[in-house]
Amino acid sequence: MKKKSTFSNLFLTALLLINTVALGDSTKKYSHADEPIGSVREVYDGALYPDIAANTFRNIDRLFPTRAVRRGNNSQPLPTSTRQLQNFTFESGDETYDLYDYLATGRVSGLLVIKQGSIAFEKYFLGNDENTRWMSMSVVKSITAMLVGAAIKDGHIDSIDDQVTKYLPQLIGSAYEGVTVKHLLQMASGVKWNETYTDVSSDRRAMLEAQISQQPGAILALMASLPRVAEPGTRYNYSTGETQVVGALVAAVTGTTVSDYLSQKIWAKAVSYTHLRAHETRHD
């Protein structure tokens, strides 16, 4: 089993994009920029105290190279709903929990609830505020998969059943021979992968070292070196490495960076659409 983060990160992908790209002031110094942080190896080892972990997760750009996902020209702040989310309860097993239980038990670092285009609840914890950046973690897997759909629609990829090596010749001769784009998206390539973060000998830790090295092509070279353990399409195996291959695929077929393609196809349009939808809702 891979070690799970003790922080709730799901909503923060949207939070990161809305506040640092759509509404943020790039000329203003980031308020958390001088906080002490841990190393990426300590993050993966689960060896950070809670305060340093929070600092680290909101300063991940100090550990990895980053690119901005640019907003569109017509984006606007989301309006605040007149009907704010009140305390609620839900049941899990034999226990009943309320909003405060959820926030405390999950060690949530922030919560943003949008209903019908308006903000129904917004609250930050652990030293975060509305301008805090936060790492998205594996939410990016779904976002990267969405870009494959955009690439198919744009004609960059002929079919989801095409072999990956058609677009990534670097993988010819590897265990990715015979793997289709669909297999890749399903994490069913049949290529060996150990996702255990805390195991320094795992494939995930080997990929971390490739990321730290910042050598172009290092991650694809790692993926190409892995053996096959099952026929493509016959076995699901959760793999962050597969998403790295998907990202390389998107960049190769579009001729641009994943961040720029995400901006062009989804983010620059989505913010404006969200605002327009909220505007229309208020006139219903």
Side-chain angles (χ1 to χ4, degrees), residues 58-93:
R58 57 180 169 244
N59 280 284
I60 205 70
D61 58 304
R62 290 162 59 183
L63 299 178
F64 292 104
T66 60
R67 289 190 179 97
V69 179
R70 301 293 177 186
R71 63 174 174 84
N73 294 325
N74 300 315
S75 59
Q76 299 290 334
L78 287 165
T80 300
S81 174
T82 57
R83 299 183 64 184
Q84 289 291 293
L85 176 68
Q86 302 298 317
N87 190 24
F88 59 84
T89 61
F90 64 93
E91 295 181 357
S92 178

Side-chain angles (χ1 to χ4, degrees), residues 29-51:
K29 183 178 178 181
Y30 183 48
S31 62
H32 302 290
D34 297 325
E35 293 175 341
I37 63 173
S39 70
V40 287
R41 293 185 182 92
E42 288 174 322
V43 171
Y44 278 55
D45 288 338
L48 293 175
Y49 290 112
D51 58 338

Side-chain angles (χ1 to χ4, degrees), residues 43-224:
V43 171
Y44 278 55
D45 288 338
L48 293 175
Y49 290 112
D51 58 338
I52 299 299
N55 291 352
T56 305
F57 292 168
R58 57 180 169 244
N59 280 284
I60 205 70
D61 58 304
R62 290 162 59 183
L63 299 178
F64 292 104
T66 60
R67 289 190 179 97
V69 179
R70 301 293 177 186
R71 63 174 174 84
N73 294 325
N74 300 315
S75 59
Q76 299 290 334
L78 287 165
T80 300
S81 174
T82 57
R83 299 183 64 184
Q84 289 291 293
L85 176 68
Q86 302 298 317
N87 190 24
F88 59 84
T89 61
F90 64 93
E91 295 181 357
S92 178
D94 297 328
E95 299 293 330
T96 299
Y97 300 90
D98 61 18
L99 172 62
Y100 308 100
D101 294 325
Y102 170 76
L103 295 174
T105 303
R107 193 168 170 77
V108 176
S109 51
L111 183 61
L112 176 66
V113 178
I114 300 174
K115 182 178 180 180
Q116 296 179 331
S118 298
I119 297 174
F121 185 87
E122 185 174 11
K123 189 74 174 174
Y124 305 95
F125 312 95
L126 307 179
N128 291 339
D129 58 35
E130 66 274 12
N131 295 308
T132 298
R133 300 192 290 259
W134 197 267
M135 64 177 179
S136 63
M137 299 188 73
S138 291
V139 178
V140 77
K141 290 182 168 67
S142 296
I143 295 173
T144 309
M146 290 168 63
L147 295 180
V148 172
I152 291 173
K153 183 177 180 180
D154 286 347
H156 298 304
I157 297 173
D158 295 328
S159 169
I160 199 171
D161 295 316
D162 284 347
Q163 291 198 18
V164 173
T165 50
K166 176 179 178 180
Y167 304 104
L168 291 173
Q170 306 96 307
L171 297 178
I172 292 175
S174 75
Y176 281 94
E177 288 271 13
V179 173
T180 66
V181 176
K182 182 178 181 179
H183 294 149
L184 198 60
L185 294 173
Q186 292 177 329
M187 294 187 181
S189 67
V191 176
K192 173 185 171 292
W193 183 262
N194 179 352
E195 183 77 8
T196 310
Y197 280 57
T198 53
D199 180 359
V200 295
S201 66
S202 72
D203 300 309
R204 184 63 188 90
R205 291 299 288 263
M207 194 179 84
L208 174 65
E209 295 304 319
Q211 290 173 292
I212 293 173
S213 76
Q214 297 186 35
Q215 295 298 314
I219 294 177
L220 267 190
L222 169 66
M223 301 307 293

Side-chain angles (χ1 to χ4, degrees), residues 17-32:
L17 293 170
I18 289 171
N19 284 308
T20 67
V21 180
L23 305 179
D25 181 357
S26 60
T27 64
K28 198 174 178 183
K29 183 178 178 181
Y30 183 48
S31 62
H32 302 290

